[in-house]
Amino acid sequence: IQKYLEAPLLLEPGHRKFDIRSWVLLDHQYNIYLYKEGVLRTSSEPYNSMDLQDKTCHLTNHCIQKEYSKNYGRYEEGNEMFFDEFNQYLITSLNTTLESSILQQIKYIIRTCLTCIEPAISTKHLPYQSFQLFGFDFMVDKALKVWLIEVNGAPACAQKLYAELCQAIVDVAISSLFPLDDTVQKQSQQCVFLKL
């Protein structure tokens, strides 16, 4: 059971709810990496705390928004806002930045969660090597406090991020065990994961 967040930070125009999806890679040595890009999944309808029957103003899930809202895609293509645009929104609307107000909390929550469960899921002492990609979902309240909603073990990914995210997983989790030749490795040196 999870408490409902009654006073979420809302996006304007539209007075709309959103959640944030962050992708986190855990490598075979239990190193934690945060993908530099994240996505806000946005609602199509104005938030109304008095109408709990209207799914589209409360739930930011793509399937619900696409199926039930006549305004799907009105504010953002595919109801997705990426970190650069959100950072600009925060600077303009709230005189703060994503890094200073929200990302520091996200990083702390991710580290805390994965450190707590390390004894149960770590494979670093086993005779095989593995890695895991997680999707951490967050909400932000109007005081800019970040709240963890859930952690997904098989997270969906925004279509425009697939190629970069997949290459980064190979670079961090696979190439460390099966190194590529120097030429290929140098081309993919620019890692898009931040080690936490």
Side-chain angles (χ1 to χ4, degrees):
I1 296 178
Q2 196 169 30
K3 182 184 183 320
Y4 188 77
L5 189 60
E6 297 106 348
L9 179 63
L10 300 173
L11 292 174
E12 301 299 344
H15 203 65
R16 299 167 297 122
K17 278 181 75 172
F18 65 91
D19 70 13
I20 299 172
R21 162 62 58 89
S22 291
W23 293 275
V24 177
L25 177 66
L26 197 60
D27 75 5
H28 68 285
Q29 291 296 315
Y30 214 82
N31 294 307
I32 303 167
Y33 298 90
L34 174 64
Y35 182 51
K36 70 170 184 169
E37 183 62 86
V39 65
L40 279 66
R41 297 173 298 189
T42 63
S43 173
S44 306
E45 305 297 335
Y47 177 65
N48 180 353
S49 61
M50 305 313 279
D51 183 1
L52 296 178
Q53 300 307 309
D54 183 0
K55 299 178 210 186
T56 60
C57 77
H58 293 282
L59 303 174
T60 57
N61 177 290
H62 283 297
C63 297
I64 290 171
Q65 292 296 317
K66 194 171 186 176
E67 184 171 338
Y68 295 105
S69 175
K70 62 186 178 301
N71 290 317
Y72 179 77
R74 176 180 177 190
Y75 299 100
E76 299 87 24
E77 183 180 339
N79 283 37
E80 294 177 329
M81 179 187 289
F82 295 90
F83 275 3
D84 284 343
E85 186 180 353
F86 185 46
N87 189 52
Q88 277 307 120
Y89 176 82
L90 291 171
I91 291 168
T92 305
S93 302
L94 301 172
N95 198 30
T96 190
T97 66
L98 180 61
E99 183 64 40
S100 65
S101 61
I102 294 172
L103 280 180
Q104 292 303 315
Q105 295 176 72
I106 285 176
K107 292 172 188 175
Y108 175 78
I109 291 168
I110 290 167
R111 272 193 309 270
T112 302
C113 286
L114 291 175
T115 300
C116 288
I117 63 167
E118 181 175 2
I121 70 168
S122 177
T123 61
K124 67 182 175 184
H125 302 296
L126 297 176
Y128 61 87
Q129 310 295 320
S130 68
F131 66 90
Q132 176 74 44
L133 183 70
F134 294 99
F136 277 72
D137 296 341
F138 302 96
M139 286 190 69
V140 180
D141 68 21
K142 66 181 181 182
L144 298 179
K145 180 177 178 181
V146 175
W147 297 82
L148 177 66
I149 300 172
E150 67 179 349
V151 180
N152 296 283
C157 178
Q159 186 72 32
K160 87 173 212 176
L161 302 177
Y162 279 161
E164 182 181 71
L165 181 58
C166 291
Q167 183 60 56
I169 291 169
V170 169
D171 292 347
V172 172
I174 298 173
S175 293
S176 63
L177 297 172
F178 304 102
L180 303 169
D181 69 50
D182 286 346
T183 314
V184 177
Q185 236 171 352
K186 284 178 185 163
Q187 289 172 350
S188 59
Q189 281 289 327
Q190 195 174 2
C191 188
V192 296
F193 277 109
L194 171 67
K195 189 172 181 182
L196 299 185

